[in-house]
Amino acid sequence: MADVLLRDGKGMDFLMRRAGVPSGMNMNGTDLIPQILRRAKGSPVAIYGTADPWLSTAKETLEREGHDIVDHRDGFCADADYVALAKDSPARIIVLAMGMPKQERVAAMIREVRADRPCTIICGGAIVDFIAGRHPRAPLWMRERGLEWAFRLGREPRRLFSRYVIGNVQFLLRAQQLAPRLVRKTGTS
């Protein structure tokens, strides 16, 4: 279970507004994680995710920016491999960029084995690929309007069609059904 869960995306904004709950700021990881890393510059960091050459490129980019990368591993190992690495790692920040639900599952396992030496664990999806320059960010005007998903879909239609077209429609239908129950449960209108 996460200690902090932030709203990321228009879908959750839609659901929360339908339920009468203030949605707050959109805190997408692609913008937030680099800011967290900049503020923690000098802290030992481990990066687990993506594959080479992108993983090595991201590591080198972060090191050029002054980060202390103490460990890195591709995102295609067994969960237990990351847990073993993180258990004795000096990392104070661990970035997991393996996609859902793997990164959340690994984060929970790492948290357990590091209970006596807590660290910040960040689940970041494609953040390592963005840092490495593998995938460009959407133009600012698209990001400001919550349309980064459309930019990514246009660049990788085969890979992202199911997630963004089918998945978004399914989410919106479920949100329509769920919102009235959330209103009753929270007592908001």
Side-chain angles (χ1 to χ4, degrees), residues 52-73:
D52 274 325
W54 309 110
L55 177 59
S56 294
T57 301
K59 175 186 179 288
E60 292 163 7
T61 299
L62 290 170
E63 287 175 337
R64 276 194 307 277
E65 293 174 0
H67 297 285
D68 179 18
I69 307 302
V70 296
D71 194 14
H72 68 292
R73 183 66 55 102

Side-chain angles (χ1 to χ4, degrees), residues 2 5 10-11 41 61 69 77 84 97 117 126 154 159 162 178:
L5 184 62
K10 295 301 263 184
K41 200 174 285 185
T61 299
I69 307 302
C77 299
R117 289 182 317 111
R159 188 174 81 82
S162 180
L178 183 60

